[in-house]
Amino acid sequence: MPSSLLFLIASLIWGSTFWAITLQLGDVPPAVSVVYRFALSSAVLFAWCKLRGDKLALSWRAQRWTMLQGCATFGVSYICTYSSEQYLVSALVAVLFALMVFWNPLISRLVLGTPLSWRTWAAGSVAVSGVVLLFYQSIGLAVRDILAGGQGHFLLGLILALAATLASAFGNVIVVKVREQAPNVLLTMAWGMLWGTLLVALWVAASGERFVAPSSTRYWAGLLYLAVFGSVIAFACFFTLIDRIGPQKATYIGVVTPVISVLLSIRLEHFRPGILEWAGMALCLGSVAWALRTPTPARPAALIEPEPLKKAS
């Protein structure tokens, strides 16, 4: 499948998943919904790999990296994402995920030692300015709410969303180490989702939350869409893109996804951004596009040859 088509599929799906998450909020605790989603996604992927005749076991060296990547990407990131959407409009969370374009090279610098360009620093500064504009009025209202004795839920949602982007960016960088040890994208995704599911299940047990059986058609529709399309198909496209073009260029998806999410929020959540919000989103997404024009550093030799195309289909 061409890289351009993989990019389009992942962008369209992830642009809608931020809204689809809202279908699962309410009766079922957010962390429990994450367990349901990735348990189902992992089972689908393991079945897919088994039908293809793949050996399901991984070496311990590969499994260690897969465990770390899975806990970050499918565990911590999604607990924070689901929880944040209790307090923030889904479009705002999607815009914050555009910041992964800057988190990825920063974390890659720390973990893999890849160099950082001046454009990344400059564009990152502009993006932060955009985020400040985007949330300026809401943060002011939240602060006044806290001073008046309120709980400031908006600030909590903002912190959770930022934590989600950092955890997800860390997981994206670790994908490089996973692929050095195990080239099978679908199998490592299956294991990563399983480890993420187990981590979140432990969190649910430790926090005293209950595994509630959802009853609404709305919830089940959201779960199936998020598990099959948002997790299996979109992540398979994204991780294959990381293999082919590297994490920095693959995160161009972070420019397209928020635009789709904002349009859906305006239509389905009655989101009405003002002048400051529009300006903030324009600065943030414009800086992301500018940063991604930076040439990608040379990739490790082990990653130059992409996985055979049949394994990503």
Side-chain angles (χ1 to χ4, degrees), residues 23 31 81 96 98 100 122 127 148-149 152 200 226 232 240 245 251 256 273 309:
L23 301 177
T81 299
L96 285 175
M100 285 174 55
V200 181
L226 289 166
V232 175
T240 302
I245 62 178
T251 48
V256 181
L309 190 57

Side-chain angles (χ1 to χ4, degrees), residues 161-190:
L162 286 171
T165 67
L166 285 167
S168 188
F170 178 76
N172 287 349
V173 172
I174 297 301
V175 166
V176 175
K177 304 300 291 186
V178 170
R179 208 64 68 239
E180 287 176 352
Q181 304 299 327
N184 189 327
V185 173
L186 297 180
L187 181 60
T188 53
M189 278 175 55

Side-chain angles (χ1 to χ4, degrees), residues 22-296:
T22 65
L23 301 177
Q24 294 194 284
L25 300 177
D27 296 335
V28 179
V32 174
S33 290
V34 175
V35 172
Y36 292 160
R37 172 178 175 175
F38 288 111
L40 177 58
S41 300
S42 178
V44 169
L45 282 167
F46 275 121
W48 190 349
C49 291
K50 189 67 176 177
L51 287 173
R52 298 195 316 173
D54 295 338
K55 182 180 177 181
L56 300 185
L58 293 176
S59 68
W60 172 238
R61 180 173 294 181
Q63 198 66 272
R64 286 183 302 175
W65 288 112
T66 304
M67 186 185 304
L68 182 60
Q69 185 262 329
C71 287
T73 301
F74 307 114
V76 176
S77 178
Y78 275 91
I79 289 177
C80 293
T81 299
Y82 273 61
S83 298
S84 70
E85 289 201 25
Q86 294 180 111
Y87 313 116
L88 301 181
V89 173
S90 63
L92 298 181
V93 179
V95 172
L96 285 175
F97 263 83
L99 293 176
M100 285 174 55
V101 169
F102 309 108
W103 301 157
N104 277 356
L106 286 171
I107 295 174
S108 183
R109 171 66 177 175
L110 293 173
V111 176
L112 305 177
T114 54
L116 286 173
S117 69
W118 68 268
R119 186 178 301 204
T120 298
W121 289 110
S125 301
V126 176
V128 170
S129 300
V131 169
V132 170
L133 279 179
L134 177 60
F135 292 101
Y136 178 77
Q137 291 181 332
S138 297
I139 290 174
L141 291 173
V143 170
R144 287 195 290 273
D145 178 52
I146 292 173
L147 293 176
Q151 296 180 327
H153 283 156
F154 182 88
L155 286 180
L156 175 59
L158 180 59
I159 292 169
L160 286 169
L162 286 171
T165 67
L166 285 167
S168 188
F170 178 76
N172 287 349
V173 172
I174 297 301
V175 166
V176 175
K177 304 300 291 186
V178 170
R179 208 64 68 239
E180 287 176 352
Q181 304 299 327
N184 189 327
V185 173
L186 297 180
L187 181 60
T188 53
M189 278 175 55
W191 277 107
M193 289 180 183
L194 177 60
W195 289 120
T197 300
L198 293 175
L199 174 68
V200 181
L202 287 174
W203 169 263
V204 171
S207 62
E209 294 179 341
R210 297 177 57 191
F211 283 93
V212 180
S215 57
S216 70
T217 303
R218 174 187 172 95
Y219 184 97
W220 283 106
L223 175 62
L224 290 174
Y225 180 75
L226 289 166
V228 177
F229 288 88
S231 300
V232 175
I233 296 175
F235 272 108
C237 293
F238 182 60
F239 288 152
T240 302
L241 279 174
I242 288 179
D243 277 354
R244 292 182 183 179
I245 62 178
Q248 273 95 357
K249 288 187 177 180
T251 48
Y252 259 119
I253 291 172
V255 182
V256 181
T257 294
V259 175
I260 297 171
S261 186
V262 167
L263 294 176
L264 284 174
S265 285
I266 290 173
R267 180 68 179 85
L268 301 174
E269 295 181 277
H270 308 294
F271 177 46
R272 297 294 180 266
I275 295 176
L276 281 180
E277 285 79 7
W278 281 117
M281 285 187 283
L283 276 177
C284 186
L285 298 180
S287 65
V288 166
W290 183 45
L292 286 169
R293 294 183 63 187
T294 308
T296 303

